[in-house]
Amino acid sequence: MDATSQRLLMCRPTYFAVDYAINPWMDPSAPVDAALAVRQWEQLRQTYLDLGHTVEEIIPVPGLPDMVFAANGGTVIDGKAMAVQFRDPQRADEAPAYRAWFEAAGFEMYDPKHVNEGEGDVLLAGDHLLAGTGFRTAHAAHAQLQEVFGYPVVTMQLVDPRFYHLDTALTVLDERTVAYLPEAFSPGSQAVLRRLFPDAVHATMADAEVLGLNAVSDGRHVVLPAQATDLAAKLRDRGYETIGVDLSELRKAGGGPKCCTLRLRQGKASK
């Protein structure tokens, strides 16, 4: 298995908090250790650097506690960046901040016509875009994604509110293989996944409930929550090298390694 060097965008959780509830993971009455959240995020960032990846950072904005979840900031493929439109007003101001970063970085910009929460719901798997819907990104956004990026879009219907973004229920391991939780998808979407990925790794509910599928793979190394032990064992059996990180504080807002990480695909060669 060959690892592919990646260019990644992250946002330090300087202002992280759980001040509202927009998904089942969030409980504003539960204590959050903001300093620990920063240390755990720094460990994730250092893990990427140790693997040889490039990490760029967007400056966090006061009053936007979920801005740490950079995957929701956009979709970047082949040098094109699709900006986002959040479903919830609490996150709306993140969209222009990320859009400005993409524009300054020189990406060809496209603005969304519908609710679209970026790489949280849009995952490039080989020659297909897997696009989630059901809780956040609108189904109508999928047609625009296909027009902008020129990849066939396969709609994935999410049915469990705990797995409200596609990247909480499925992770792309390489161009041919994914891991996912079947129960998170509608029967039709499960059938599509079986056709597209007959050799997929199936996660257990126990691992999904610690956001084990919110993982980042470079084709060889898989960075995933340390608590997802069964999934890590399955991945090692398939020949992947797993690296467990503890993001327990960020999980209180429904986020894991992938939520904190947006891949910046500069051109076709870096697919």
Side-chain angles (χ1 to χ4, degrees):
M1 293 180 176
D2 295 325
T4 302
S5 179
Q6 299 185 0
R7 180 184 175 198
L8 308 171
L9 179 63
M10 300 182 71
C11 181
R12 185 176 296 273
T14 305
Y15 305 107
F16 178 70
V18 180
D19 294 332
Y20 48 77
I22 57 173
N23 67 53
W25 301 82
M26 304 178 85
D27 179 2
S29 68
V32 172
D33 188 333
L36 177 58
V38 171
R39 293 196 298 273
Q40 292 178 340
W41 179 90
E42 288 175 340
Q43 179 195 12
L44 176 64
R45 177 181 177 275
Q46 188 60 50
T47 297
Y48 293 143
L49 294 174
D50 291 344
L51 290 172
H53 302 313
T54 299
V55 177
E56 301 191 36
E57 293 186 42
I58 183 173
I59 297 174
V61 176
L64 299 179
D66 284 339
M67 194 171 169
V68 60
F69 301 127
N72 305 140
T75 303
V76 183
I77 301 171
D78 298 343
K80 301 176 182 179
M82 170 77 79
V84 297
Q85 178 182 328
F86 286 97
R87 181 199 68 175
D88 298 294
Q90 293 93 333
R91 299 195 67 183
D93 288 342
E94 295 176 39
Y98 277 98
R99 191 194 189 287
W101 192 94
F102 297 137
E103 196 165 36
F107 290 102
E108 183 180 342
M109 288 301 310
Y110 295 84
D111 290 316
K113 298 177 181 177
H114 308 279
V115 172
N116 177 340
E117 299 205 351
E119 211 172 49
D121 271 326
V122 184
L123 300 176
L124 182 61
D127 291 326
H128 293 84
L129 279 178
L130 305 181
T133 192
F135 298 103
R136 298 295 184 87
T137 297
H139 182 255
H142 296 182
Q144 186 184 12
L145 288 165
Q146 183 166 280
E147 288 302 310
V148 168
F149 295 115
Y151 287 81
V153 172
V154 181
T155 293
M156 297 280 101
Q157 184 72 38
L158 297 164
V159 297
D160 187 327
R162 292 172 298 175
F163 311 113
Y164 55 94
H165 278 146
L166 181 62
D167 70 358
T168 65
L170 183 149
T171 186
V172 177
L173 298 170
D174 56 45
E175 293 196 350
R176 298 172 301 280
T177 312
V178 303
Y180 67 96
L181 176 71
E183 302 96 303
F185 298 91
S186 68
S189 293
Q190 290 184 44
V192 170
L193 286 168
R194 288 194 297 269
R195 287 180 181 273
L196 287 177
F197 307 103
D199 296 324
V201 176
H202 289 181
T204 64
M205 181 62 76
D207 280 341
E209 288 177 336
V210 293
L211 290 178
L213 288 162
N214 196 246
V216 177
S217 174
D218 62 14
R220 179 179 179 182
H221 310 96
V222 183
V223 180
L224 76 168
Q227 295 82 2
T229 53
D230 289 343
L231 179 58
K234 289 181 179 180
L235 295 175
R236 289 193 295 271
D237 287 344
R238 294 290 191 97
Y240 297 98
E241 297 180 27
T242 62
I243 302 169
V245 294
D246 184 5
L247 294 184
S248 58
E249 289 305 301
L250 295 172
R251 191 165 70 244
K252 293 176 180 178
K258 180 66 190 75
C259 286
C260 296
T261 311
L262 176 64
R263 185 169 175 187
L264 304 171
R265 299 175 178 84
Q266 190 64 42
K268 294 183 182 298
S270 65
K271 225 176 34 174

